[in-house]
Amino acid sequence: MRALYKYLYIHLYKLTSKKGRRNTKYGALMYLNMIFICLALPIEMVLFSRVIRFPNILFIIVSGVFVVLLYLINKRIIYNRKAFKEALLQFNAETRSQKTIGYAVSLLLLISSPVLFVLIMWGLVQLT
């Protein structure tokens, strides 16, 4: 799982650095968090709305804590210098075609994760 995090993070980092942004490490981390939050939040919502019946306010608090914990875990795994340098060295040796595939996969996940979030939530609303 860490290899997937590093792979996506490095390709998102390289994509954001091509745009000339000032803080590309943080931007890539935020994009990675958005991807995983959009994909994991519906699972958490199904778990807590179907399996465990929570009041709405408690559900919102648990969802907020879940998002913050996911952010902190991603930051802990990837954002430190040692892990960043290791991942950068690991994926700098890619061929041009591997880099193109990595960029395509990263962009596809970045674009499709909010769309999947909306579709999953729409499906959940239709089920109730």
Side-chain angles (χ1 to χ4, degrees), residues 28-89:
L29 180 67
M30 294 312 295
Y31 286 141
L32 184 68
N33 284 322
M34 187 197 75
I35 290 170
F36 284 107
I37 287 169
C38 283
L39 296 176
L41 199 57
I43 296 167
E44 183 257 346
M45 292 176 80
V46 167
L47 178 69
F48 287 122
S49 67
R50 305 266 190 239
V51 178
I52 305 168
R53 298 287 178 176
F54 277 163
N56 287 342
I57 190 69
L58 188 59
F59 180 73
I60 292 169
I61 292 170
V62 168
S63 296
V65 169
F66 176 75
V67 167
V68 169
L69 283 176
L70 192 60
Y71 167 76
L72 292 174
I73 289 169
N74 283 340
K75 188 174 180 181
R76 172 100 173 144
I77 290 174
I78 293 177
Y79 201 65
N80 65 39
R81 274 194 185 133
K82 184 179 176 186
F84 176 72
K85 286 182 181 181
E86 286 176 5
L88 199 57
L89 288 174

Side-chain angles (χ1 to χ4, degrees), residues 2-128:
R2 278 189 173 187
L4 175 67
Y5 277 173
K6 290 178 182 178
Y7 181 80
L8 287 174
Y9 178 72
I10 291 300
H11 284 90
L12 289 169
Y13 170 78
K14 289 179 180 179
L15 282 172
T16 54
S17 66
K18 286 184 179 187
K19 295 290 183 186
R21 300 203 175 164
R22 290 175 54 195
N23 198 350
T24 54
K25 282 176 67 175
Y26 188 71
L29 180 67
M30 294 312 295
Y31 286 141
L32 184 68
N33 284 322
M34 187 197 75
I35 290 170
F36 284 107
I37 287 169
C38 283
L39 296 176
L41 199 57
I43 296 167
E44 183 257 346
M45 292 176 80
V46 167
L47 178 69
F48 287 122
S49 67
R50 305 266 190 239
V51 178
I52 305 168
R53 298 287 178 176
F54 277 163
N56 287 342
I57 190 69
L58 188 59
F59 180 73
I60 292 169
I61 292 170
V62 168
S63 296
V65 169
F66 176 75
V67 167
V68 169
L69 283 176
L70 192 60
Y71 167 76
L72 292 174
I73 289 169
N74 283 340
K75 188 174 180 181
R76 172 100 173 144
I77 290 174
I78 293 177
Y79 201 65
N80 65 39
R81 274 194 185 133
K82 184 179 176 186
F84 176 72
K85 286 182 181 181
E86 286 176 5
L88 199 57
L89 288 174
Q90 181 181 0
F91 294 111
N92 268 344
E94 290 183 326
T95 64
R96 187 167 178 85
S97 63
Q98 288 174 329
K99 286 181 183 179
T100 305
I101 290 170
Y103 293 144
V105 167
S106 299
L107 275 175
L108 181 66
L109 273 172
L110 189 60
I111 293 168
S112 67
S113 61
V115 173
L116 285 171
F117 176 77
V118 169
L119 289 175
I120 291 170
M121 295 309 297
W122 181 72
L124 287 175
V125 169
Q126 296 299 322
L127 288 175
T128 56

